Amino acid sequence: MSSHATPADPAAAEVGEPRSAAEHYAAAESLFAQARAIYPDLSSRAYHQNEYKRCLDWARMHLRLAEVATAGAGLVFAHRSLLATPDVRLQDTYVGAETQQWNEYFKTKHDATRKSA
């Protein structure tokens, strides 16, 4: 049996805890490294194939989550910048509804007084 048969899954380490884009990128990098380590010993056995595919699938998911977090943060900051500019009218835009959720997320993520359960 390969020494890479059961790679640790960084995604399962802190289930339910919010992660930053950088943390998602780090998790993806770790999973890609595990897939690279598995590859030389990859056999035609379904278990090895599934383990390799699982690492790549989770890495892909973490990359997409990092992209979403980055895009969401960019949207929030762009909206705040437009709100601070008095000569820009934001009538009939629904950006505020979208950014409200991101604002609340960042507030709770960086609230130093928040206690974890």
Side-chain angles (χ1 to χ4, degrees):
M1 181 182 284
S2 168
S3 62
H4 311 296
T6 54
D9 184 4
E14 298 177 14
V15 176
E17 289 294 317
R19 289 185 174 188
S20 68
E23 290 168 323
H24 281 292
Y25 279 123
E29 183 177 3
S30 172
L31 286 161
F32 280 131
Q34 289 175 19
R36 275 192 306 273
I38 292 170
Y39 187 77
D41 300 329
L42 197 59
S43 69
S44 60
R45 292 177 55 194
Y47 176 77
H48 292 130
Q49 296 288 330
N50 289 342
E51 210 46 41
Y52 179 73
K53 184 179 179 321
R54 184 189 67 79
C55 284
L56 292 178
D57 288 345
W58 275 99
R60 187 177 304 115
M61 187 236 12
H62 279 291
L63 286 176
R64 295 204 58 200
L65 286 170
E67 290 170 0
V68 167
T70 303
L75 178 63
V76 168
F77 295 129
H79 185 249
R80 285 186 176 176
S81 175
L82 288 172
L83 287 175
T85 308
D87 59 333
V88 175
R89 291 179 40 170
L90 291 178
Q91 282 181 264
D92 301 322
T93 61
Y94 299 102
V95 175
E98 293 294 325
T99 60
Q100 179 181 359
Q101 295 298 318
W102 284 104
N103 284 331
E104 289 176 17
Y105 168 78
F106 288 126
K107 180 181 174 189
T108 58
K109 174 79 173 158
H110 299 290
D111 184 3
T113 62
R114 190 184 89 189
K115 303 221 187 294
S116 55

